[in-house]
Amino acid sequence: MAVKALEEGNVVAIPTETVYGLAGNAFSEAAVEKIYSLKQRPFYNPLIVHIKAADFLAKVARDVPDAAIKLANEFWPGPLTLVLKKQKLIPDIVTSGKDTVAVRMPNHPLTLKLLEQLDFPLAAPSANPFGSISPTSASHVHNYFKEELEVILDGGECERGIESTIIGFEEDQPVVYRLGSLSIEDIEDRIGNVFTKTRDDSSPVAPGMLSRHYAPTTETHLAENIGEFIQLHSGKKIGLLLFQHQVDDIPQEHQVVLSKSGNLKEAAKNLYAAMHLLDSLNLDIIIAEKFPDVGLGKTINDKLQRAAKK
Ligand code: TXA
Ligand code: MG
């Protein structure tokens, strides 16, 4: 069903190891237009092209730097997106008129199998309305789009739970544009130091860079000291997003612990589902605990900061 829908130029929600995507034929302007309109995404915000194998890279990108090939070999299939010079075959609507294209090979068995059956790559942003929390399960996607979206390929809960890390190249040197499920430490272990450039409101290279993003509708705060914040907001209906431990004095059902054992990978996987849940409880305010600023903790803090931004 998904293959047929995509061949007919329609949009299908696909599972990936990071988050669910809203996919369409990356070579078809009409299909890609449907993605933007469903997502209510501004056209200045380009999409990621998902390919079935690293061999396919030459079809979508050109003049690929050696460092990019090395990264692709190390991390694909996986949560790494590379921003490269684009091939003509990629319509301008996919790249918002830029001469670069964002590409990744996702690591999810259903989606890899789907890509195998198609003779085009899939352009896909995260499957949420623009600016809201990314979906990490088929039901999150369904709750957002209901009958507006006919086909959702259900691949279970996303294993990583946070978007891919985006790397571009400036004078052939890798530059991180968006923190994601692949930690900077993992990247630096393989290719040495990389530069990070993830916040620029005036002209975002990657609009995941816009400082307010991934936002719950409930007012959200990021706190170094949870206790102080709770006192400050006493009398309100408070929800808590916590790393390892619950706190006293707040109803248990309003608290979500992301990893009892203190595992950052597990915390990252659970982050968006926790945000979806807390946002559905009609609370006055969500207070998120600041995470240790290492590895995926950096990525989690980055997403929480953007969720908390007014
Ligand atoms: O994990 C992911 O990356 C998920 C799954 C579905 O693959 N996709 C995802 O897509 O997060 P989206 O559209 O929500 O975020 C894509 C980001 C945007 O911030 C966009 O601006 C950036 O990629 N991007 C796309 N093309 C770009 C380009 N040519 N140059 C710089 N940034 C680009
Ligand atoms: Mg997104």
Side-chain angles (χ1 to χ4, degrees):
M1 190 152 82
V3 173
K4 187 157 173 277
L6 289 163
E7 283 174 349
E8 287 170 354
N10 291 316
V11 174
V12 168
I14 56 165
T16 82
E17 79 282 30
T18 59
V19 301
Y20 275 72
L22 269 187
N25 178 351
F27 293 153
S28 157
E29 205 174 305
V32 175
E33 246 170 51
K34 287 186 192 164
I35 300 174
Y36 279 92
S37 99
L38 193 58
K39 194 176 154 87
Q40 294 177 305
R41 174 158 170 138
F43 284 110
Y44 65 72
N45 196 350
L47 307 185
I48 296 175
V49 172
H50 297 71
I51 57 176
K52 58 183 156 195
D55 302 355
F56 207 84
L57 196 52
K59 285 235 166 75
V60 299
R62 62 187 167 82
D63 305 335
V64 180
D66 290 345
I69 292 171
K70 187 161 181 199
L71 283 165
N73 288 335
E74 290 281 353
F75 296 112
W76 282 357
L80 171 72
T81 294
L82 298 172
V83 175
L84 301 164
K85 294 232 171 71
K86 85 173 191 81
Q87 289 285 19
K88 287 212 182 70
L89 216 51
I90 302 289
D92 282 341
I93 186 172
V94 173
T95 64
S96 306
K98 289 174 187 281
D99 67 345
T100 53
V101 60
V103 192
R104 85 176 186 103
M105 178 183 174
N107 192 10
H108 190 290
L110 278 188
T111 291
L112 285 171
K113 201 170 142 206
L114 175 67
L115 282 165
E116 270 308 320
Q117 296 173 73
L118 298 169
D119 53 13
F120 47 83
L122 292 173
S126 52
N128 51 284
F130 184 63
S132 51
I133 309 164
S134 295
T136 55
S137 70
S139 67
H140 293 157
V141 181
H142 177 73
N143 289 341
Y144 278 139
F145 298 104
K146 308 267 163 45
E147 49 292 322
E148 272 187 284
L149 182 63
E150 274 171 31
V151 188
I152 301 176
L153 203 55
D154 189 346
E157 266 178 42
C158 301
E159 198 185 309
R160 301 292 201 126
I162 290 184
E163 295 87 343
S164 59
T165 301
I166 302 183
I167 296 195
F169 297 86
E170 298 185 7
E171 277 149 28
D172 283 359
Q173 293 305 309
V175 178
V176 175
Y177 293 142
R178 178 175 75 181
L179 298 181
S181 301
L182 188 63
S183 73
I184 303 285
E185 286 87 339
D186 277 348
I187 294 164
E188 292 189 331
D189 272 355
R190 310 294 166 83
I191 61 162
N193 282 1
V194 291
F195 193 73
T196 305
K197 210 188 210 178
T198 56
R199 196 158 294 233
D200 182 355
D201 274 339
S202 55
S203 117
V205 183
M209 290 168 85
L210 288 174
S211 23
R212 182 176 160 80
H213 210 76
Y214 315 105
T217 50
T218 314
E219 179 183 328
T220 300
H221 295 267
L222 179 60
E224 299 258 0
N225 182 330
I226 287 274
E228 249 173 36
F229 244 85
I230 293 175
Q231 276 198 338
L232 210 66
H233 293 275
S234 63
K236 288 190 184 159
K237 244 164 88 184
I238 297 176
L240 296 178
L241 189 59
L242 303 156
F243 183 20
Q244 287 184 262
H245 308 288
Q246 288 206 331
V247 306
D248 300 333
D249 306 332
I250 299 283
Q252 285 215 354
E253 63 275 18
H254 294 170
Q255 303 191 42
V256 185
V257 167
L258 294 187
S259 171
K260 279 192 180 143
S261 65
N263 179 325
L264 288 169
K265 205 166 173 180
E266 183 184 31
K269 177 181 177 189
N270 293 331
L271 176 68
Y272 290 157
M275 282 163 66
H276 279 281
L277 175 72
L278 288 170
D279 207 21
S280 73
L281 297 178
N282 285 318
L283 299 161
D284 296 325
I285 172 174
I286 298 170
I287 304 173
E289 177 173 25
K290 182 138 192 255
F291 277 66
D293 215 24
V294 290
L296 291 178
K298 274 190 204 140
T299 300
I300 294 172
N301 285 334
D302 177 80
K303 305 302 168 197
L304 289 173
Q305 254 157 27
R306 291 170 203 270
K309 186 101 177 186
K310 282 181 206 79

